[in-house]
Amino acid sequence: MSKQAWVFPGQGSQFLGMLSDLAAEYSTIESTFAIASEVLQYDLWDVVNNNEDKLAQTQVTQPALLTASYAIYKVLQELDVPLPEYMAGHSLGEYSALVCAGVIDFKDAIKLVEARGKFMQQAVPQGVGAMYAIIGLADEKVIESCQLAQNDTNMVVAAVNFNSPGQVVIAGNKEAAERAAALCKEQGAKRALPLPVSVPSHCELMKPAAEQLSDLLNDIDFSAPNIAVINNVDVAMESEPEAIKKALKAQLYSPVRWTETVNQLHDLGVSNLYEVGPGKVLTGLTKRINKAVSCKAIGTSESVSELK
């Protein structure tokens, strides 16, 4: 019998008005946002629906996406949708997975990801870092281009998101990232697209943020997961709370190995993924990673009705 996994999106999946159609049908959506708002001390649901500029701020985006994914999960629970065998999340989405797997209390997770966003922004001032999506170039060529750019500039740049074959994101100091993007184009990349982000995630520049996050992680109680969660750092399933905390700390300055994650789920017997959260980013990536694995986005009233 084929197995299921639920996967949770990261930054970039947010949009103004997300979950509004679900909220009209399920009161759980707004009540979950109300809990997050109480922790954050501002009206998160109002931001999600009316303030695009604030929603785009990293320390707001992160709790907004976590809350959106968890709210959808709560709706699925209400509808008695069977839980999957595995969970995983892309970058920030790993926190959503850990909350839904019973590892972190939702309120604690909101505090964590808001702080995570602040620490990330503080680690690299606006305009100092950059990220590029490299399209149509082999992973090893992207890694090689980043290494050459580091040597040329004496600055940081690295491949940080292995999203699907032929789609890798690089991040680092702006000058080094620009140089690496140019080298990728010379190597034959179809496109090198600058991303509209204020923080160069998952590279060495995030180590100061990771140290700050580590102190906060140590103050929060984690439980063993009741559903296996595959982490981003080494594509492993940890059951010990301290090992999970260690992986979350390392995640901030380590690559997101999403291609390997989807293939690992396939190797574990998973044939159906459900993207629990707004948007369809992970659904699109899955189609490019492994044709033997289907993925359906569960972020609208229509999609929830179909699943029900």
Side-chain angles (χ1 to χ4, degrees):
M1 187 174 172
S2 65
K3 298 176 183 177
Q4 282 186 18
W6 290 2
V7 293
F8 300 85
Q11 279 184 256
S13 289
Q14 75 278 2
F15 58 89
L16 202 66
M18 62 186 184
L19 273 58
S20 55
D21 66 330
L22 271 172
E25 199 170 339
Y26 301 99
S27 62
T28 299
I29 300 295
E30 286 195 56
S31 63
T32 304
F33 270 86
I35 294 167
S37 297
E38 190 180 320
V39 175
L40 296 167
Q41 298 191 314
Y42 62 82
D43 189 337
L44 184 62
W45 184 244
D46 181 64
V47 171
V48 162
N49 284 284
N50 301 303
N51 194 332
E52 195 164 12
D53 288 340
K54 188 168 182 178
L55 181 60
Q57 296 171 14
T58 300
Q59 71 268 26
V60 178
T61 309
Q62 297 200 26
L65 277 170
L66 171 65
T67 304
S69 286
Y70 184 60
I72 296 169
Y73 165 81
K74 295 292 283 182
V75 168
L76 298 180
Q77 274 198 319
E78 280 181 15
L79 297 173
D80 292 323
V81 174
L83 289 168
E85 285 81 3
Y86 303 101
M87 291 182 175
H90 188 289
S91 188
L92 167 76
E94 190 169 317
Y95 288 81
S96 303
L98 291 169
V99 171
C100 296
V103 176
I104 317 173
D105 175 76
F106 175 55
K107 289 184 179 180
D108 286 338
I110 290 293
K111 293 174 193 171
L112 264 178
V113 298
E114 183 191 34
R116 182 180 184 265
K118 288 178 180 175
F119 297 155
M120 290 168 73
Q121 191 64 74
Q122 290 164 2
V124 181
Q126 193 93 16
V128 172
M131 298 181 79
Y132 283 79
I134 309 301
I135 311 297
L137 190 64
D139 293 359
E140 57 270 19
K141 293 287 186 182
V142 177
I143 294 166
E144 183 184 312
S145 296
C146 288
Q147 189 59 60
L148 288 169
Q150 283 206 145
N151 295 342
D152 289 348
T153 62
N154 286 318
M155 294 181 181
V156 171
V157 64
V160 296
N161 289 358
F162 294 94
N163 285 334
S164 67
Q167 189 191 122
V168 177
V169 174
I170 64 172
N173 293 103
K174 188 175 182 182
E175 186 180 329
E178 287 173 350
R179 176 67 181 140
L183 288 168
C184 286
K185 288 284 285 181
E186 289 175 20
Q187 290 262 38
K190 291 176 183 174
R191 303 174 82 184
L193 304 171
L195 299 180
V197 295
S198 57
V199 173
S201 305
H202 301 292
C203 71
E204 281 182 40
L205 298 176
M206 289 294 109
K207 282 194 170 178
E211 290 304 322
Q212 289 178 285
L213 185 69
S214 182
D215 292 338
L216 196 53
L217 285 167
N218 289 336
D219 291 337
I220 291 175
D221 290 330
F222 277 40
S223 302
N226 51 42
I227 295 170
V229 177
I230 298 181
N231 71 38
N232 288 180
V233 172
D234 50 17
V235 199
M237 292 175 283
E238 301 291 355
S239 57
E240 295 297 325
E242 290 309 310
I244 296 170
K245 290 182 182 184
K246 185 178 178 182
L248 287 178
K249 176 186 174 183
Q251 190 218 59
L252 266 185
Y253 56 83
S254 304
V256 174
R257 295 161 61 180
W258 194 250
T259 299
E260 289 177 74
T261 299
V262 172
N263 286 327
Q264 167 81 322
L265 287 167
H266 176 249
D267 290 345
L268 289 166
V270 171
S271 58
N272 295 302
L273 301 185
Y274 291 98
E275 180 175 3
V276 181
K280 299 179 179 180
V281 172
L282 301 182
T283 301
L285 293 179
T286 302
K287 289 175 183 174
R288 294 195 286 274
I289 293 169
N290 194 319
K291 301 292 185 192
V293 180
S294 71
C295 188
K296 183 171 179 56
I298 308 296
T300 63
S301 179
E302 183 184 357
S303 60
V304 168
S305 295
E306 287 176 10
L307 186 61
K308 180 171 64 173

